[in-house]
């Protein structure tokens, strides 16, 4: 079965319902159908034998694609069946039945009619710059398609929530992204939300919008680098999502080592629609509200305009609103990890509780449970406006433009700033006279640590496409930017605090003046802006013929400029913020360029070859070639084998030019390999040790990361109702950019040493370098079964899963390879969905399952406390969602119940405070009501 699918990664063609000017010359019917699919961006599915040897008289008229297809097929004996809005199936027209007695001749059959839509299941057509005139419905690379109907049935309100629950995906929640490396750091920063494929992190997953790159989040994440903020793309304007699994750098360039997520936005709509949604948890909190409106307008000469506006608001959810959220794990036998607050005598060790009265518990104790204060869900408000315009000019040219602007405002809460304070004897709050007093103290008077970020996005693209014979030429320009303002309250300025304590102006556990509070806990304000400008030129069309059919080729040039400006608060740069990593200013840009070429060739009647080659260049780094080879063999009409091999390349971006999270402090080392020391001391066993400062620096000599990957799988479709895809993937990434510890003599270099003029060692510094390697291997499957009945409606069952067989990492050339699969994160995930459509009702039940995980590192034993409590593994879990849709006239009413069983998260890793933020949903049972009206 062939599928004419003109589906280039940048969609700017006619909507299936819009009139288009066609100029198709006479010739083979196969070529005419190919020209129609390419020109109108529709999919035409048929068996090759149906068109073999048939001719077409051509077509010169302005028609809708459906009308043009009907006109081309007149007299061909073929019937058109509409699959969905842009997909059509060709079938033989019914033949007259022979009769025994002669009868008057029947009138000629009417021309083929467009029948009611028929559900043939998912048809995947992406992952290439070539419009697929010869592509079957089976793609050469493993792929997942999330349709608009599945998005609606999921009940998810944000793109981040939808993607992080897909098999093989890992969620990077804004709360964890803002943590900046965890304890002892307490400064939140860079609160973006993103996901990644197959445990390779955000740097290996490329996000596209309509086939185009977009600007990263404007602030640098010290742990993750550059991030695509998914919260900046409202889910209400997403038409579908295509997830290409496996290396795709040869087609899309850098950041595509693990795969690509292509987010396709809506382009056309008949009439207008208004949608209102309200969500609330079973406990009457974590509320969400969304209002979106959209309209489609048909313009003259076949053009169209689509407009959409969206407003979303959600309440924050704190740890105190969930009983299971605590660092007190006594109920699990894992101990109480809350922080006691009070005075400790330096010599006697005496302890005395100390905190404001309102923060004492029923027994008069002062205990800080940090997990109770930290946000589980940020408070957020998001607005967005989106417009798409397309206009044909003449018979062979069309122009398009897209504009998307938005603002995301969100606030995260943390525990009050806390630490160990040493008080001099003369301070009036020194509790033990004559001793050097140590105080474990929480700065309740400064309030909880609060970070509010406002991110504004602007995405503008425009282009033109023209058709010359069988060839399509395109040119486009795009500008993308993301600017962020981040404000943090509740942190402590070290210099101001020491001054206030020294002059006895700050009093502990007592009322302080507003001026004092503002002096030692000032607001921190950081700003960042990321920009990406792109110019693209492309061409695709038929090239030459082989015995098995015609080849098609695509080639193009991409030029761009990537700019990043980061201005942290001056106190962060000067390292004047207590228990926080210092920041660096960044103001730079890089020129990027790429040349690509792709070839699709029928090597034999049942063997298809896909070849791609891309040359990438980033300023300050040499160019790199990335090839990809794909083969697809139709062993049987119902069975297809497929496989790919590819290499990947990712040069360090402006986000990699940063320093690791290291708090400057003193340290003691005793390794003789460090050389002479300026500040030697004698250790407890008589050995010579060296007192040094600890710090970090930016390494400007980083090299590109590289990868190789392959996939091997099969797709079995014994009939039109059942499809099964099973694929094996293997990805190896080399030259990974990881932090080098200045305290690790086995991997450090001379650049880590900081010496005085005489050569004496005075400091050790961490830095990023190309020292890591990761090898990921596993399996993915997807299956779908569809059943259409006359009395009981239509049923469909979909299954998808991911199993991580290997996740081996080497953090440097000297260390051992360790397999992390199943450690501290599940190694298997699955989704199952059952949908039933009957009359005006559509019902969907979705099940999400996670496998168990071990609590340890591969080279270590389970912690003793977990062994004693019998909790060395986190159990697997499952949640069930229900969605009900009712359509009547112009209304669509929906009810979604998420997590019907109201599952309580279970996690025995004490560092995670009762749940895993990457996989668990802390809201519990959740209700979402939706009402949509078409007019």
């Amino acid at each position: 079965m062939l599928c004419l699918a003109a589906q280039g990664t940048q969609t700017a063609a006619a909507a299936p319902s819009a009139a288009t000017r066609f100029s198709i010359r006479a010739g083979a019917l196969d070529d005419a159908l190919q020209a129609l699919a390419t020109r109108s961006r529709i999919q035409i599915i048929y068996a090759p034998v149906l068109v073999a040897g048939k001719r077409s008289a051509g077509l010169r008229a302005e028609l809708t694609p459906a009308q043009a297809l009907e006109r081309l097929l007149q007299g061909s004996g073929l019937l058109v069946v509409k699959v969905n809005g842009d997909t059509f199936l060709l079938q033989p027209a019914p033949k007259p039945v022979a009769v025994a007695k002669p009868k008057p001749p029947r009138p000629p059959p009417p021309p083929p009619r467009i029948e009611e839509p028929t559900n043939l299941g998912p048809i995947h057509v992406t992952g290439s710059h070539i419009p697929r005139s010869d592509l079957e419905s089976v793609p050469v690379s493993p792929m997942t398609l999330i349709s608009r109907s599945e998005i609606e049935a999921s009940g998810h309100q944000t793109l981040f929530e939808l993607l992080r629950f897909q098999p093989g995906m890992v969620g990077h929640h804004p709360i964890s992204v803002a943590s900046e490396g965890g304890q002892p750091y307490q400064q939140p920063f860079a609160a973006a939300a993103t996901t990644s494929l197959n445990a390779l992190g955000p740097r290996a997953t490329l996000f596209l919008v309509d086939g185009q790159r977009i600007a990263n989040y404007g602030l640098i994440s010290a742990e993750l680098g550059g991030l695509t903020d998914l919260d900046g793309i409202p889910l209400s304007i997403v038409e579908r999502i295509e997830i290409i699994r496996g290396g795709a750098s040869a087609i899309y360039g850098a950041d595509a080592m693990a795969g690509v997520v292509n987010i396709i936005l809506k382009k056309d709509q008949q009439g207008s629609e208004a949608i209102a949604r309200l969500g609330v948890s079973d406990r009457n909190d974590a509320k969400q509200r969304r209002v979106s409106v959209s309209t489609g307008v048909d313009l003259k000469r076949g053009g169209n305009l689509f407009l959409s506006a969206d407003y979303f608001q959600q309440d924050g959810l704190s740890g105190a609103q969930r009983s299971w959220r605590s660092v007190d794990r006594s109920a699990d036998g894992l101990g109480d990890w809350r922080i006691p607050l009070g005075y400790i005598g330096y010599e006697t060790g005496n302890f005395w509780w100390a905190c404001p009265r309102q923060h004492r518990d029923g027994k008069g104790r002062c205990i800080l449970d940090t997990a109770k204060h930290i946000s589980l869900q940020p408070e957020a408000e998001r607005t967005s406006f989106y417009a798409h315009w397309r206009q044909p000019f003449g018979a062979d040219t069309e122009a398009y433009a897209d504009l998307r602007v938005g603002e995301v405002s969100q606030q995260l809460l943390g525990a009050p700033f806390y630490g160990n304070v040493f008080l001099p004897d003369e301070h009036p709050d020194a509790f033990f006279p004559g001793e050097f007093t140590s105080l474990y103290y929480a700065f309740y008077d400064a309030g909880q640590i609060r970070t509010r970020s406002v991110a504004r996005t602007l995405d503008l693209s425009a282009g033109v496409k023209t058709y010359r014979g069988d060839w399509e030429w395109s040119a486009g320009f795009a500008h993308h930017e993301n600017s962020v303002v981040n404000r943090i309250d509740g942190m402590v300025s070290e210099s101001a605090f020491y001054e206030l304590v020294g002059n006895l102006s700050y009093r502990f556990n007592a009322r302080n003046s507003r001026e004092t509070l503002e002096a030692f806990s000032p607001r921190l304000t950081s700003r960042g802006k990321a920009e990406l400008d792109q110019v693209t030129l492309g061409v695709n069309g038929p090239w030459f013929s082989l015995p098995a059919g015609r080849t098609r080729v695509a080639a193009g040039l991409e030029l761009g400029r990537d700019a990043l400006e980061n201005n942290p608060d001056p106190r962060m740069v000067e390292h004047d913020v207590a228990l926080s990593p210092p920041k660096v200013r960044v103001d730079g840009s890089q020129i990027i360029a790429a040349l690509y070429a792709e070839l699709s060739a029928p090597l034999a009647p049942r063997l298809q070859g896909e070849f791609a080659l891309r040359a990438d260049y980033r300023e300050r780094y040499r160019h790199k070639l990335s090839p990809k080879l794909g083969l697809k063999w139709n062993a049987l009409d119902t069975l297809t084998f497929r496989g790919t091999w590819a290499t990947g390349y990712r040069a360090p971006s402006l986000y990699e030019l940063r320093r690791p999270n290291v708090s400057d402090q003193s340290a003691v080392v005793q390794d003789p390999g460090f050389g002479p020391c300026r500040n030697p001391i004698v250790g407890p066993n008589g050995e010579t040790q060296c007192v040094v400062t600890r710090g970090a620096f930016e390494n400007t000599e980083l090299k590109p990361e590289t990868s190789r990957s392959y996939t091997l799988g099969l797709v079995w479709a014994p009939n039109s109702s059942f499809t099964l895809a099973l694929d094996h993937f293997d990805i190896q990434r080399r030259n990974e950019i990881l932090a080098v510890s200045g305290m690790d003599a086995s991997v450090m270099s001379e650049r880590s040493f900081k010496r005085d003029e005489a050569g004496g060692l005075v400091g050790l510094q961490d830095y990023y370098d190309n020292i890591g390697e990761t090898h990921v291997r596993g399996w993915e499957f997807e299956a779908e079964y569809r059943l259409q009945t006359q009395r009981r409606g239509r049923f469909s069952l979909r299954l998808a899963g991911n199993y991580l067989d290997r996740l081996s990492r080497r953090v440097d050339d000297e260390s051992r390879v360790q397999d992390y699969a199943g450690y501290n994160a599940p190694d298997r995930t699955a989704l199952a969905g059952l949908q039933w459509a009957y009359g005006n009702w559509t019902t969907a039940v979705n099940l999400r399952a996670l496998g168990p995980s071990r609590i340890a590192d591969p080279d270590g034993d389970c912690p003793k406390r977990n062994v004693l409590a019998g909790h060395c593994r986190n159990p697997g879990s499952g949640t069930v969602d229900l969605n009900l849709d009712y359509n009547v006239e112009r209304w669509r009413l929906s009810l979604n119940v998420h997590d019907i069983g109201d599952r309580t998260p279970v996690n025995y890793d004490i560092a995670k405070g009762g749940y895993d933020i990457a996989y668990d949903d802390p809201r519990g049972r959740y209700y979402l009501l939706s009402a949509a009206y078409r007019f």
Side-chain angles (χ1 to χ4, degrees):
M1 179 178 288
L2 291 186
C3 174
L4 304 194
Q7 55 63 225
T9 57
Q10 298 182 18
T11 305
S17 60
T20 303
R21 183 70 181 176
F22 293 99
S23 180
I24 300 174
R25 59 192 178 190
L29 180 59
D30 194 15
D31 294 340
L33 293 172
Q34 169 188 292
L36 173 61
T38 301
R39 183 69 182 87
S40 59
R41 286 293 190 267
I42 63 173
Q43 301 176 66
I44 309 173
I45 308 170
Y46 58 89
V49 68
L50 293 179
V51 299
K54 294 185 178 182
R55 304 282 296 174
S56 168
L59 178 65
R60 299 185 69 88
E62 185 171 315
L63 302 167
T64 67
Q67 293 170 337
L69 179 58
E70 186 172 332
R71 184 82 63 85
L72 276 181
L73 294 176
Q74 286 182 356
S76 66
L78 298 178
L79 180 70
V80 181
V81 177
K82 186 176 181 181
V83 177
N84 54 43
D86 60 359
T87 306
F88 302 89
L89 174 69
L90 303 190
Q91 294 179 344
K95 295 182 179 181
V97 179
V99 294
K101 297 180 180 180
K103 289 184 177 180
R106 293 185 178 182
R113 305 289 298 175
I114 305 299
E115 303 293 342
E116 288 300 312
T118 300
N119 183 8
L120 291 183
I123 299 172
H124 299 161
V125 283
T126 192
S128 173
H129 294 283
I130 300 175
R132 294 299 169 171
S133 62
D134 57 356
L135 178 69
E136 296 184 40
S137 57
V138 177
V140 70
S141 295
M143 194 176 308
T144 297
L145 173 67
I146 307 174
S147 66
R148 183 65 211 175
S149 62
E150 291 174 308
I151 293 173
E152 291 288 347
S154 71
H156 296 304
Q157 286 270 61
T158 67
L159 185 58
F160 167 69
E161 292 293 334
L162 174 71
L163 288 177
R164 81 180 183 118
F165 289 143
Q166 299 301 311
M169 279 280 194
V170 176
H172 304 281
H173 199 283
I175 295 169
S176 62
V177 170
S179 298
E180 286 289 286
Q183 295 298 325
Y185 308 122
Q186 299 178 45
Q187 173 186 287
F189 198 72
T194 194
T195 60
S196 60
L197 281 164
N198 294 325
L200 285 175
R203 296 201 307 266
T205 301
L206 174 62
F207 288 89
L208 305 172
V209 175
D210 288 333
Q212 292 186 344
R213 292 172 176 266
I214 58 175
N216 280 335
Y217 188 68
L219 291 179
I220 298 174
S221 167
E223 296 297 311
L224 302 173
L227 302 173
T228 299
D229 186 16
L230 298 177
D231 281 341
I233 305 172
L235 195 57
S236 62
I237 65 172
V238 176
E239 179 65 27
R240 68 182 186 275
I241 301 169
E242 299 163 342
I243 303 174
I244 308 165
R245 301 176 184 270
S249 289
I251 299 173
Y252 296 106
D255 307 319
M257 294 179 179
V260 175
V261 179
N262 193 11
I263 302 162
I264 309 298
L265 304 184
K266 293 181 178 180
K267 295 294 185 293
D268 182 57
Q269 180 175 290
Q270 297 300 308
S272 302
E273 183 178 49
I275 304 176
R277 293 183 170 93
L278 174 64
V280 62
S281 78
D282 195 51
R283 297 160 183 82
N284 196 31
D285 56 20
K287 294 179 181 178
Q288 295 180 337
R289 306 159 188 90
R290 164 164 265 142
V291 177
S292 57
V293 293
S294 58
T295 185
V297 180
D298 290 333
L299 306 177
K300 294 181 180 180
R301 297 185 300 277
N304 69 283
L305 177 66
F306 177 75
L307 302 172
S308 176
D310 183 272
Y311 173 79
F312 173 78
Q313 188 272 335
Q314 82 176 4
D315 296 345
L317 180 69
S318 70
Q321 293 173 271
R322 294 295 180 267
S323 60
W324 47 262
R325 178 63 167 157
S326 174
V327 293
D328 181 3
R329 312 310 301 169
S330 301
D332 297 325
L334 298 174
D336 187 349
W337 298 88
R338 294 176 297 173
I339 301 171
L341 304 175
Y343 292 99
I344 299 179
Y346 185 74
E347 297 178 0
T348 62
N350 294 327
F351 183 84
W352 188 265
W353 299 107
C355 67
R357 183 177 303 276
Q358 64 268 30
H359 296 289
R360 297 173 180 264
D361 64 11
K363 299 179 180 180
R365 300 175 302 177
C366 299
I367 302 178
L368 177 62
D369 191 343
T370 56
K372 292 293 186 183
H373 298 270
I374 298 174
S375 293
L376 294 173
Q377 172 178 286
E379 174 190 320
E381 185 175 23
R382 303 163 194 162
T383 56
S384 175
F385 172 78
Y386 167 66
H388 169 77
W389 168 81
R390 184 198 65 82
Q391 182 64 59
F393 294 96
D396 301 314
T397 303
E398 64 183 25
Y400 68 92
D402 291 276
L403 172 66
R404 183 167 57 87
V405 294
E407 179 179 285
V408 177
S409 174
Q410 62 181 358
Q411 176 173 278
L412 303 176
L413 299 178
F417 185 81
Y418 59 92
N420 190 9
V421 181
F422 294 96
L423 302 183
D425 290 344
E426 64 272 17
H427 196 283
D429 294 326
F431 192 77
F432 299 101
E435 294 187 43
F436 195 73
T437 302
S438 174
L439 170 63
Y440 283 89
Y441 187 71
F443 292 81
Y444 287 110
D445 49 358
Q448 289 182 254
I449 296 176
R450 306 169 302 283
T451 176
R452 180 172 290 279
S453 61
V454 179
R456 295 181 175 90
T457 59
L458 169 63
D459 294 280
L460 174 64
S461 61
V464 61
K465 293 191 177 186
T466 185
Y467 302 87
R468 296 293 180 263
D470 294 332
W471 289 81
E472 175 189 305
W473 299 78
S474 64
F477 168 78
H479 172 76
H480 311 277
E481 65 179 59
N482 182 282
S483 58
V484 184
V485 177
N486 178 256
R487 295 181 174 89
I488 306 174
D489 294 294
M491 299 299 295
V492 172
S493 166
E494 284 191 349
S495 60
F497 177 72
Y498 289 141
E499 180 181 352
L500 292 169
V501 172
N503 62 26
L504 311 182
S505 298
Y506 182 81
R507 298 297 305 275
F508 296 89
N509 297 310
R511 184 180 297 274
N512 291 286
S513 67
R514 176 179 298 181
E515 292 76 13
T516 299
L517 295 177
E518 291 177 349
F520 88 87
S521 181
R523 169 172 287 182
L524 308 174
T525 302
S526 300
R527 289 178 168 84
K529 184 177 183 180
E531 292 183 291
L532 176 62
D533 295 303
Q534 303 173 94
V535 174
T536 59
L537 300 172
V539 59
N540 67 79
W543 191 8
F544 58 88
S545 296
L546 295 174
R550 182 160 43 176
T551 63
R552 292 188 65 84
V553 66
L557 169 67
E558 298 174 359
L559 299 174
R561 174 183 173 272
D562 196 6
L564 178 64
E565 181 181 353
N566 257 238
N567 291 305
D569 190 281
R571 295 177 182 84
M572 299 178 181
V573 177
E574 298 165 4
H575 198 202
D576 188 38
V577 184
L579 294 181
S580 299
K583 298 292 183 182
V584 295
R585 293 189 177 94
V586 176
D587 187 2
S589 63
Q590 291 180 325
I591 300 299
I592 53 180
L595 283 170
Y596 67 85
E598 295 180 49
L599 175 67
S600 175
L603 305 178
R606 289 182 173 270
L607 182 64
Q608 185 78 18
E610 308 283 337
F611 309 93
L613 183 66
R614 184 182 178 99
D616 278 290
Y617 166 79
R618 182 177 284 272
E619 190 176 354
R620 296 199 298 267
Y621 302 96
R622 290 185 291 180
H623 75 278
K624 175 72 174 179
L625 294 176
S626 300
K628 181 175 182 177
L629 167 65
L631 293 173
K632 184 173 54 177
W633 176 43
N634 298 107
L636 302 170
D637 290 340
T638 60
L639 181 63
T640 300
F641 293 95
R642 61 185 178 186
T644 65
W645 173 89
T647 66
Y649 162 84
R650 195 188 72 84
S653 70
L654 296 169
Y655 289 84
E656 264 69 60
L657 301 179
R658 65 197 196 279
R659 49 166 286 170
N661 272 340
V662 176
S663 182
D664 294 342
Q665 56 186 351
S666 297
V668 177
V669 296
Q670 55 184 4
D671 193 298
F674 292 139
C677 172
R678 188 176 72 176
N679 301 308
I681 60 173
V682 178
N685 298 321
E687 75 279 8
T688 300
Q689 298 181 349
C690 186
V691 178
V692 296
T693 61
R694 292 280 285 116
F697 70 93
E698 300 169 67
N699 180 10
T700 59
E701 300 178 7
L702 292 173
K703 296 179 292 185
E705 297 179 338
T706 60
S707 70
R708 70 108 186 103
S709 65
Y710 71 80
T711 64
L712 185 63
L714 61 85
V715 178
W716 180 45
N719 52 56
S720 61
S721 298
F722 179 76
T723 304
L724 170 66
L726 178 65
D727 293 276
H728 175 68
F729 62 89
D730 191 298
I731 305 171
Q732 189 167 16
R733 183 170 60 184
R734 303 182 179 90
N735 295 328
E736 279 188 326
I737 299 174
L738 300 176
V740 176
S741 172
M743 299 290 289
D744 189 348
S746 64
V747 298
M748 70 164 44
S749 65
E750 182 65 28
R751 70 177 68 181
S752 182
F753 301 153
K754 190 175 181 180
R755 301 185 183 277
D756 60 15
E757 296 179 355
L761 183 68
V762 296
L764 294 174
Q765 302 184 92
D766 291 12
Y767 59 97
Y768 284 105
D769 207 352
N770 301 91
I771 61 172
E773 179 178 317
T774 300
H775 185 189
V776 178
R777 186 179 65 204
W779 294 86
E780 295 168 326
F781 77 89
E782 287 192 17
E784 182 171 8
Y785 176 71
R786 298 166 296 278
L787 176 63
Q788 179 71 54
T789 68
Q790 292 184 347
R791 294 185 176 182
R792 293 177 178 156
R794 184 176 67 249
F795 297 84
S796 65
L797 174 65
R798 301 194 68 178
L799 301 173
N802 176 281
Y803 171 64
L804 204 60
D805 177 56
R806 180 182 180 90
L807 176 57
S808 62
R809 289 194 174 105
R810 188 202 304 269
V811 296
D812 55 68
D813 293 336
E814 304 296 328
S815 63
R816 295 187 301 108
V817 174
Q818 299 181 27
D819 187 358
Y820 286 83
Y823 286 89
N824 300 307
D827 59 4
R828 68 205 72 175
T829 56
L831 281 178
L834 175 63
Q835 189 177 79
W836 175 36
Y838 181 76
N840 295 334
W841 289 91
T842 301
T843 304
V845 179
N846 298 311
L847 168 66
R848 177 174 181 257
L850 299 173
S853 61
R854 301 176 184 141
I855 303 174
D857 289 329
D859 62 343
D861 296 327
C862 177
K864 184 176 180 180
R865 56 180 173 269
N866 290 78
V867 173
L868 296 175
H871 294 315
C872 284
R873 291 172 67 91
N874 292 314
S877 64
T879 56
V880 178
D881 304 339
L882 172 67
N883 188 79
L884 299 174
D885 276 337
Y886 179 69
N887 290 270
V888 54
E889 296 181 351
R890 296 177 179 270
W891 288 93
R892 185 180 76 250
L893 306 176
S894 304
L895 169 65
N896 182 275
V897 185
H898 173 76
D899 189 7
I900 293 176
D902 195 25
R903 173 182 174 266
T904 298
V906 177
N907 193 286
Y908 299 122
D909 184 344
I910 61 168
K912 295 183 177 180
Y915 88 122
D916 192 331
I917 195 171
Y919 298 97
D920 290 323
D921 187 340
R923 298 175 305 177
R925 186 183 296 118
Y926 199 84
Y927 304 95
L928 178 67
L929 288 170
S930 303
Y933 181 73
R934 299 291 298 268
F935 53 95

